[in-house]
Amino acid sequence: MKKKEIDAIKRNKGHMLSGAAVLAIGSVLAKVLGALYRVPLTNILGAEGMGMYQLVFPVFALFMVLSTAGIPTALSRMVAEKRAEGAPTKKYLVSAIIVLATLGTLLAILTFALSGQLARWQGNAETRTGFMIVAPTLILVSLIAGFRGWFQGEMYMLPTAVSNIIEQVVKLAVGIGLSVALLPRGVTAAVNGALLGIALSEACALAYLIITFLVRGKKLKGEMLHVTRTEAHVMFKVAFPIAIVAVLMPLSGFFDSVIIVNMLKSSGVAQELATAQYGLLSGPVNSLINMPIVIIMSLAVVVVPSVSVSRVQRDIDGVMLKSRLSIKLAYLIGVPSAFFFMVFAPRLLPVIYPALTPAQLDITVKLLRVVSANIVLLSTMQIYVSLLQALDRTKSAVISLGCAIAVKVILSVVLTKYIGIMGGAVASFAMAGVAFLGVNIAYYKICGIHLEKSVGLNLLCGVIMGLAGLGISSLVTNNIVATLVGFAVCALVYLWLAFLFGIVGAEEINYLPMKRLLRAVHRVVRFWEYRDDA
C-alpha cells in the first residue's frame, strides 16, 4: 500500500478516535451528572417512587426511538459519505427535520391519548399523568436527534457532547427542585415533577443545537436544500433497518415495564412492593451499569460514519483497523468495570443510596452482581451492531437482537413469577449474552477478525484486578474509603496488566485520549521495548 493511503487511513482513524474522545468526555460528564441526579432522586422518591418513574421512562424511551425511526443514524452515515465525496449535506438535514418533526408530533399525540391505557397495562394507574407530561417531549427529542445526526456525520462531535451535558444539568436542577417542592403533595406529584424536568431539559438542549447549527450553517450558505426523490429513497432505505435495530432495545425495556410488576403481583407481591422492586432493578442498578456503557457507546456513535467512509472509499485496511481498535476499547473499558461492580457492590451502594432500607440494599447488591456482566456484553454488542450498520449488514443485527429479546421475554415471564425480581436480572443477562453472540458471529463472518487472545487476556486481567479489589475490601472497613481506594487500586492494576500483557500496543496508544500519559506508563511497564531508544 502506498504511503499516502496509509497516512489517510491513520488520519481517518485519528479523526474517529478524537471524535470518540470528545463524545466520551461529554458522555462521562453527562453520566456523572445523571448519576448525581438519580442519587438524590432515589433518596427523595424512595424505591416505590423510582419504580413509578421507571415505569414511565421505558415507554418514553421506546416512543422516542419510534419518533426518530433510525433517521439520525442514517443521516450521519449519508452525510459522512457525501462529505467524503465533496458533495453538499445541508439539504439532508432539512429533509430529515421535516420528517422527524412529523413523526414526533404523531407519537406525542398517540402517547397522550393512550396514557391511561399504558398505565393500566403496567399495573399502576397512577403513572397516567406522567405519560401525559412526557408526551410533548417526543417532538423535542426527535428534532434533537436530527441535529445530532447531522453534526456526527460532519464528524463534529462537540454539539452532541455539549447538548448531552445541558440536558443533564437542567434535569438535575429543575427535576430535583420540582420533586422536592411537590413531595408534600405525595409521591406521584414528586414523580411528575421529575418528569417535567426531563421536558424542560430537552427544550434547552434543542435551543443550543439550533443556535450552533445557525452559526455553523453560515459557512454552508451556497448549498442547495432540495433533496431529489432518489436521494430521499436512499436515506429511508438506509434508515428502515437501522430503525428496527434502534427500537429493539427500548422495546426490551418496555416489555420489562409491563411484565415484571404484573408477574410479581401475580405471585402474591403487593403493588407497592412490586413497583419498588422493579424500581431497584431499573433505577439504581441500571444507572450504575449504564455509566461505563455510555462511554463505549460514544465510540459506537462515531464508528458508523467513520467506517462508512472507509467502505465507500473501498479502504479495507481502514475498516479492519477501526473495527479492531473499537472492539478492543469496548473490552478494555467494560471488563474492569464489570469486575469492579461485582466486588464493590456491597460497599458502593450504601454510599450512593443511603435512603434505601437494609432489605432493599441487600436485593440491590444481588441484582447488581448478576447484571454486572451486561456491561461487557451490551457495550461490545453495541459496537458490533454499529459496525454491521456501517457495512450495510443491519439485517444480521436485527435477527440477533430479535432472538435475544424473545429469550428475555420468555425468561422474564417464567422466572419473575417463581424467583421474584432476580428473575428479571437473570433474563436481562441472558438477553445480553444471546445478542452478543449473535452479532459477534455475524461480524466475524464478514471480516474474520480474531480477538480471542485479547479477550482472554482482558478476562485474566479482570480476575487479577478483582482479587486485588477483594483484598482492599477485606482490609478497609469504611465504605467510602474502601470504594475510593479500591477504585484507584483496581484502575492501576488493570492498566498495568493491560500494558504488561500487550493488550494495548505502543502504536495503538497514539490513537487514544491522554496518549502522553499512557505512553509514559507503557515505557515503564514494558521497559525492555525501549532499550534501543536509551
Side-chain angles (χ1 to χ4, degrees):
M1 182 179 292
K2 296 179 181 179
K3 183 177 183 302
K4 289 184 178 180
E5 293 176 342
I6 295 174
D7 291 341
I9 292 172
K10 290 184 177 180
R11 189 163 52 252
N12 285 335
K13 185 179 173 185
H15 287 326
M16 182 191 78
L17 289 172
S18 63
V22 170
L23 270 184
I25 293 170
S27 298
V28 169
L29 291 175
K31 207 61 186 179
V32 168
L33 292 171
L36 290 174
Y37 168 71
R38 290 295 182 96
V39 171
L41 189 64
T42 300
N43 293 322
I44 292 167
L45 301 180
E48 182 186 357
M50 279 304 294
M52 294 175 63
Y53 179 89
Q54 289 298 140
L55 284 172
V56 174
F57 198 82
V59 180
F60 170 66
L62 174 62
F63 280 24
M64 181 172 64
V65 173
L66 291 173
S67 70
T68 59
I71 294 174
T73 303
L75 179 63
S76 71
R77 175 173 149 181
M78 288 194 67
V79 168
E81 293 175 358
K82 295 299 180 182
R83 274 292 175 220
E85 298 170 359
T89 63
K90 192 175 179 180
K91 60 182 180 180
Y92 296 104
L93 173 62
V94 175
S95 298
I97 287 296
I98 293 172
V99 176
L100 288 168
T102 303
L103 286 173
T105 302
L106 292 175
L107 265 296
I109 294 171
L110 184 63
T111 304
F112 193 90
L114 293 178
S115 57
Q117 185 62 50
L118 288 169
R120 286 191 291 273
W121 283 342
Q122 293 180 325
N124 193 323
E126 295 181 10
T127 59
R128 178 184 179 182
T129 308
F131 288 117
M132 296 170 69
I133 291 172
V134 298
T137 311
L138 294 169
I139 303 172
L140 305 177
V141 169
S142 62
L143 297 176
I144 288 171
F147 281 109
R148 285 175 176 169
W150 185 77
F151 283 124
Q152 288 159 12
E154 293 278 329
M155 300 306 291
Y156 183 39
M157 304 299 167
L158 186 62
T160 299
V162 173
S163 61
N164 279 330
I165 294 173
I166 290 173
E167 282 178 348
Q168 296 299 337
V169 169
V170 175
K171 187 168 67 173
L172 176 64
V174 177
I176 294 300
L178 289 175
S179 297
V180 172
L182 295 174
L183 187 60
R185 299 186 180 184
V187 173
T188 302
V191 171
N192 292 337
L195 294 171
L196 183 58
I198 295 176
L200 294 176
S201 70
E202 301 296 345
C204 293
L206 177 60
Y208 161 76
L209 288 170
I210 292 174
I211 294 171
T212 304
F213 171 75
L214 292 175
V215 173
R216 189 175 179 84
K218 291 180 181 179
K219 303 176 183 178
L220 309 173
K221 281 186 176 179
E223 291 193 4
M224 297 290 293
L225 299 181
H226 176 67
V227 176
T228 66
R229 181 175 295 182
T230 301
E231 290 172 328
H233 176 74
V234 171
M235 179 184 293
F236 290 108
K237 183 179 179 181
V238 172
F240 181 71
I242 292 175
I244 297 176
V245 172
V247 79
L248 287 175
M249 293 305 289
L251 187 63
S252 170
F254 170 73
F255 286 146
D256 280 349
S257 70
V258 174
I259 292 171
I260 293 178
V261 171
N262 284 313
M263 295 310 298
L264 288 173
K265 287 169 63 178
S266 70
S267 65
V269 179
Q271 176 179 301
E272 293 78 9
L273 181 57
T275 303
Q277 290 185 354
Y278 169 73
L280 294 175
L281 175 60
S282 59
V285 172
N286 284 345
S287 296
L288 290 173
I289 292 298
N290 286 333
M291 289 185 71
I293 291 178
V294 77
I295 301 174
I296 303 169
M297 279 302 297
S298 67
L299 181 62
V301 168
V302 184
V303 162
V304 174
S306 182
V307 175
S308 293
V309 170
S310 295
R311 179 178 63 85
V312 170
Q313 295 174 342
R314 299 185 182 278
D315 178 10
I316 303 302
D317 289 334
V319 171
M320 296 297 287
L321 285 169
K322 294 167 186 175
S323 299
R324 186 181 298 275
L325 188 55
S326 58
I327 294 168
K328 287 180 71 173
L329 285 173
Y331 281 111
L332 284 168
I333 298 172
V335 170
S337 300
F339 276 99
F340 178 80
F341 284 137
M342 288 179 189
V343 172
F344 285 94
R347 298 304 194 91
L348 179 64
L349 289 169
V351 173
I352 300 179
Y353 301 106
L356 297 181
T357 66
Q360 290 171 343
L361 281 172
D362 182 61
I363 294 174
T364 309
V365 167
K366 293 176 181 177
L367 291 171
L368 182 57
R369 282 178 163 167
V370 170
V371 300
S372 289
N374 287 9
I375 298 173
V376 182
L377 299 173
L378 290 177
S379 57
T380 311
M381 179 269 290
Q382 293 284 4
I383 293 293
Y384 277 115
V385 168
S386 296
L387 290 169
L388 289 169
Q389 289 174 344
L391 297 179
D392 204 19
R393 299 296 182 91
T394 309
K395 182 179 178 180
S396 299
V398 171
I399 295 172
S400 300
L401 292 178
C403 292
I405 291 174
V407 169
K408 182 182 182 181
V409 169
I410 295 171
L411 290 179
S412 292
V413 172
V414 175
L415 296 180
T416 304
K417 185 172 183 178
Y418 292 103
I419 63 174
I421 192 62
M422 294 302 298
V426 173
S428 176
F429 172 74
M431 181 206 72
V434 172
F436 168 79
L437 289 175
V439 294
N440 196 322
I441 294 170
Y443 198 73
Y444 175 77
K445 290 180 179 179
I446 298 171
C447 293
I449 292 179
H450 288 277
L451 291 173
E452 294 86 354
K453 181 180 178 181
S454 177
V455 174
L457 290 174
N458 265 298
L459 293 175
L460 177 60
C461 293
V463 171
I464 297 173
M465 184 205 82
L467 293 174
L470 284 173
I472 298 296
S473 182
S474 63
L475 292 173
V476 182
T477 56
N478 183 273
N479 285 335
I480 298 176
V481 176
T483 301
L484 294 176
V485 173
F487 178 82
V489 170
C490 287
L492 290 173
V493 168
Y494 195 86
L495 180 62
W496 187 278
L497 291 172
F499 284 159
L500 181 65
F501 293 154
I503 299 175
V504 180
E507 182 182 351
E508 292 172 324
I509 292 175
N510 294 326
Y511 304 104
L512 298 176
M514 300 184 295
K515 58 185 177 183
R516 290 185 179 179
L517 174 62
L518 294 176
R519 196 180 295 119
V521 176
H522 191 269
R523 290 180 68 94
V524 173
V525 177
R526 297 183 70 88
F527 59 89
W528 60 89
E529 292 184 359
Y530 297 89
R531 285 176 179 171
D532 293 339
D533 296 344

